[in-house]
Amino acid sequence: MHVLHRVAVFMALLILCSASGLAQQKTLNAEQELFNAVNRERKAQGLPSLMLDDALTEAARKHAERMAERRTVSHQLPGEPTLPSRAKAAGAHFTWLSENVDEGPDASAIHQSFMKSPQHRANILDGDMDSVGIGVAENNGELFAVEDFSKAK
């Protein structure tokens, strides 16, 4: 019986790890889909593509994780540093920043929501920006997305 208990515990851990891996892959796929969508929109307007910035991506992911934990969308959560402080702490170098935040069932719905909002659309199509970091976190099937745009130094 002791062996069966070990097998059951091992199987439960395997299922848990697989589920965690699938959730992580879902968020990575959503980040890539949002990045591609941003650059498609820019290309359609004759704007240059944005470069993916690792430091901005780190800042965006951390903010998305905080939003997902609290199940709320905000540019700054209580007790959280400002966008410039978050970006600097992650190692980003910039002269200008802007941010899009939203939640939705998938990356496509989030991108459509951004494009329907004049302010979010303006951030995506800002010709002064040259870099972006995109972070997505999931909570109970809902995706929380952050797009941090910058003009790099």
Side-chain angles (χ1 to χ4, degrees), residues 95-115:
T95 57
W96 183 249
L97 286 172
S98 64
E99 182 177 66
N100 289 349
V101 294
D102 203 356
E103 69 177 295
D106 56 45
S108 177
I110 292 169
H111 181 70
Q112 288 174 20
S113 175
F114 285 150
M115 292 308 291

Side-chain angles (χ1 to χ4, degrees), residues 63 66-68 70 72-81 86:
H63 187 59
R66 288 183 185 111
M67 290 192 320
R70 295 182 183 185
T72 190
V73 175
S74 177
H75 289 284
Q76 185 177 5
L77 296 163
E80 184 182 42
R86 293 191 313 260

Side-chain angles (χ1 to χ4, degrees), residues 19-89:
S20 174
L22 288 175
Q24 184 178 20
Q25 189 60 46
K26 179 180 178 181
T27 59
L28 291 175
N29 288 347
E31 289 175 0
Q32 185 64 51
E33 188 176 335
L34 287 169
F35 177 71
N36 292 343
V38 163
N39 280 327
R40 264 194 319 274
E41 298 290 352
R42 291 177 64 84
K43 183 177 180 180
Q45 297 297 317
L47 296 167
S49 294
L50 297 176
M51 300 293 294
L52 192 60
D53 182 288
D54 291 338
L56 286 177
T57 296
E58 180 183 333
R61 282 181 180 153
K62 285 182 180 179
H63 187 59
E65 288 167 3
R66 288 183 185 111
M67 290 192 320
E69 286 170 7
R70 295 182 183 185
R71 302 183 93 185
T72 190
V73 175
S74 177
H75 289 284
Q76 185 177 5
L77 296 163
E80 184 182 42
T82 63
L83 171 59
S85 295
R86 293 191 313 260
K88 284 179 186 173

